[in-house]
């Protein structure tokens, strides 16, 4: 069994218990309605399998399906503050034309989903495209004000081989595991409540040089506006940062139960304790060749050992991303998939600040940068701080 498969199966079993407990509570208290945005339900991309999955997941749930995207033009702000489930059929070629209408609505530059909380079920007729669609959808929706619960994606590839491990652990077939995952997500969306803190703690991770970094210069501006938030900064360049080498599952679990990793070093000594301490994590990410830096990638990979025993649903992830020319959205997508979809961090609305600056000091000279730093700091405070 692969490491990824084991952690996913364990998480599924844990979430199943939570969902089952929630069934009793749902019978005793009135629940909020779940809005299902279902582009392409009547198009060539439609799949009967997705209909079956949604029918199972929404049984006993107060929900309404919106499968005509004209609502987005008629009332662009209709879904603000709602609990949302995006249901996206991709067909065999990964194309759903009505989904692109939804994506264009999200990318309008307006906060059309301010205060909303979402998850995704994405179904494809091939082995490809589900994660790519989820990544772009998560970034676009977040930039429109939408938050995502930890592990918000349920994806069905053509073969459903991505459910082999879960099916074995649940003693069912792949379709049964698919149904179960979608049901858990639907109930999680209705039951999850993000908890703000009276004295929130923020961990800031970077691997940059203070003298030349535009990313750190922006952080200094944001930091000055984070009153009421306790901050701890860790430079991932301090010491040798070894990337994850894919230890056997039992070895990784053995060290993870002790809050450690076989390879030790600053990740174990400094970063693991800080992650446990924090209510939110801010990643400072310069764009290197349209990808996260090696040290930041190593941090995410090495987080797996801690993840074996500690889930991060109650911790938020933020980012400041600076590109020399373009591509900040690519890094935002990497953070969303790695930290939110895989490592279960809560993804707030407008979780990242993205800027373009290609010379040392250029970021602070950008038009309107002080206002954007202030706005980003205000969003972080509103997410973390109980007032």
């Amino acid at each position: 069994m692969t490491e990824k498969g084991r952690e996913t199966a364990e998480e599924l079993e844990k979430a199943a218990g939570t969902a089952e407990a929630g069934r009793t509570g749902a019978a005793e208290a009135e629940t909020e309605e779940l809005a299902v945005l279902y582009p392409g339900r009547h198009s060539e991309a439609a799949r009967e399998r997705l209909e079956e999955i949604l029918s199972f997941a929404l049984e006993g749930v107060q929900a309404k399906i919106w499968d005509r995207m004209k609502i987005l033009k008629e009332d662009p702000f209709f879904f603000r503050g709602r609990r949302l489930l995006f249901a996206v059929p991709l067909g065999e070629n990964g194309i759903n034309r009505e989904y692109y209408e939804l994506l264009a609505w999200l990318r309008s530059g307006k906060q059309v989903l301010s205060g909303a909380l979402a998850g995704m079920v994405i179904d494809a007729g091939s082995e490809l495209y589900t994660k790519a669609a989820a990544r772009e959808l998560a970034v676009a929706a977040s930039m429109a004000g939408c938050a995502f619960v930890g592990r918000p994606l349920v994806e069905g590839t053509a073969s459903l081989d991505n459910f082999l491990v879960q099916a074995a652990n649940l003693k069912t077939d792949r379709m049964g595991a698919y149904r179960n995952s979608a049901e858990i997500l639907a109930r999680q969306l209705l039951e999850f409540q993000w908890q703000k803190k009276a004295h929130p703690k923020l961990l800031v991770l970077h691997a940059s040089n203070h003298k030349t970094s535009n990313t750190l210069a922006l952080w200094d501006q944001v930091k000055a506006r984070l009153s009421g938030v306790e901050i701890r900064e860790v430079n991932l360049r301090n010491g040798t940062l070894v990337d994850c080498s894919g230890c056997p599952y039992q070895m990784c679990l053995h060290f993870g139960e002790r809050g450690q990793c076989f390879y030790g070093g600053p990740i174990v000594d400094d970063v693991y304790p800080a992650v446990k301490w924090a209510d939110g994590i801010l990643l400072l990410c310069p764009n290197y060749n349209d990808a996260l830096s090696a040290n930041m990638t190593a941090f995410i990979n090495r987080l797996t050992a801690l993840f074996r025993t500690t889930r991060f649903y109650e911790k938020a992830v933020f980012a400041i991303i600076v590109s020399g020319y373009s591509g900040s959205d690519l890094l935002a997508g990497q953070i969303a998939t790695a930290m939110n979809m895989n490592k279960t961090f809560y993804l707030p609305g407008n979780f990242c600040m993205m800027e373009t600056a290609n010379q040392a000091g250029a970021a602070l000279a950008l038009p309107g940068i002080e206002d954007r730093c202030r706005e980003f700091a205000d969003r972080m405070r509103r997410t973390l701080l109980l007032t």
Side-chain angles (χ1 to χ4, degrees):
M1 184 181 296
T2 65
E3 294 183 16
K4 175 67 176 177
R6 284 183 184 270
E7 70 182 45
T8 303
E10 288 177 353
E11 183 61 25
L12 189 62
E13 289 176 324
K14 179 180 177 182
T18 302
E20 186 61 33
R23 289 178 185 268
T24 303
E28 299 174 353
E30 185 177 349
T31 58
E32 190 172 351
E33 182 180 79
L34 183 63
V36 182
L37 274 171
Y38 193 170
R41 186 182 190 181
H42 307 286
S43 72
E44 67 275 10
R47 292 176 56 76
E48 291 183 7
R49 188 173 70 180
L50 183 54
E51 290 284 330
E52 181 180 344
I53 291 299
L54 290 177
S55 177
F56 184 89
L58 300 177
E59 184 177 358
V61 171
Q62 193 172 344
K64 181 173 182 179
I65 295 177
W66 303 85
D67 55 14
R68 301 293 185 184
M69 295 302 101
K70 63 180 182 180
I71 183 66
L72 306 180
K73 293 182 179 180
E74 292 172 350
D75 189 352
F77 301 102
F78 181 80
F79 294 101
R80 274 187 169 183
R82 303 287 292 273
R83 303 284 174 134
L84 298 175
L85 179 64
F86 295 103
V88 184
L90 293 178
E92 295 182 359
N93 58 10
I95 301 297
N96 177 334
R97 289 174 174 80
E98 286 190 35
Y99 162 67
Y100 288 117
E101 292 182 32
L102 183 149
L103 196 61
W105 167 67
L106 293 173
R107 292 176 175 174
S108 67
K110 301 174 182 178
Q111 295 293 290
V112 293
L113 288 183
S114 177
L117 180 72
M120 300 171 275
V121 178
I122 298 183
D123 189 83
S126 76
E127 301 304 298
L128 306 176
Y129 314 122
T130 51
K131 190 60 71 62
R135 180 180 60 216
E136 69 176 1
L137 177 55
V139 173
S142 176
M143 294 301 99
C146 185
F148 284 86
V149 296
R151 189 158 278 170
L153 172 63
V154 174
E155 56 181 328
T157 61
S159 66
L160 293 184
D161 280 353
N162 56 309
F163 284 104
L164 280 170
V165 174
Q166 294 95 312
N169 278 273
L170 295 172
K171 296 181 172 55
T172 185
D173 58 13
R174 287 169 288 184
M175 190 65 175
Y178 190 7
R179 293 190 198 99
N180 197 58
S181 296
E183 179 189 31
I184 289 167
L185 177 60
R187 296 187 179 278
Q188 181 188 7
L189 285 170
L190 289 173
E191 296 165 7
F192 178 80
Q193 297 291 335
W194 170 251
Q195 300 297 323
K196 300 181 182 183
K197 303 294 191 300
H199 305 286
K201 299 180 287 290
L202 178 69
L203 170 63
V204 181
L205 296 174
H206 70 91
S208 300
N209 186 313
H210 274 279
K211 294 181 179 179
T212 60
S213 172
N214 279 303
T215 317
L216 281 173
L218 292 180
W219 160 236
D220 287 340
Q221 296 296 310
V222 172
K223 179 180 179 180
R225 296 167 169 84
L226 285 177
S227 59
V229 179
E230 185 178 352
I231 297 168
R232 183 183 299 180
E233 296 184 37
V234 175
N235 187 344
L236 297 174
R237 294 179 66 182
N238 292 338
T240 302
L241 187 63
V242 179
D243 202 347
C244 178
S245 295
C247 290
Y249 174 79
Q250 290 299 335
M251 179 186 291
C252 187
L253 179 61
H254 170 78
F255 283 95
E257 287 174 342
R258 293 158 178 77
Q260 300 176 2
C261 172
F262 176 79
Y263 291 95
I267 284 286
V268 172
D269 298 336
D270 302 322
V271 179
Y272 282 0
V275 170
K276 289 182 176 181
W277 166 86
D279 300 305
I281 293 182
L282 173 64
L283 306 180
L284 305 183
C285 304
N287 182 349
Y288 294 141
N289 298 303
D290 293 331
L292 296 172
S293 69
N295 281 343
M296 194 63 70
T297 300
F299 154 70
I300 293 171
N301 292 339
R302 291 283 299 278
L303 198 57
T304 299
L306 184 60
F307 180 72
R308 298 292 185 207
T309 56
T310 305
R311 295 300 185 253
F312 306 117
Y313 292 100
E314 304 300 328
K315 298 179 186 289
V317 62
F318 305 91
I320 296 176
I321 302 170
V322 179
S323 294
Y325 298 95
S326 64
S328 290
D329 57 311
L330 298 179
L331 274 68
Q334 291 171 31
I335 294 166
T337 52
M339 297 293 282
N340 172 239
M341 297 181 199
N342 289 307
K343 292 294 190 284
T344 73
F345 281 83
Y346 172 72
L347 193 77
N350 297 286
F351 81 97
C352 66
M353 178 180 183
M354 295 183 280
E355 299 292 341
T356 302
N358 53 33
Q359 294 182 354
L364 295 183
L366 293 171
I369 192 63
E370 289 188 8
D371 289 338
R372 292 196 295 279
C373 286
R374 184 182 302 106
E375 290 167 1
F376 185 63
D378 287 345
R379 289 197 297 268
M380 291 181 67
R381 291 183 76 253
R382 287 197 299 270
T383 298
L384 297 172
L385 184 62
L386 181 63
T387 56

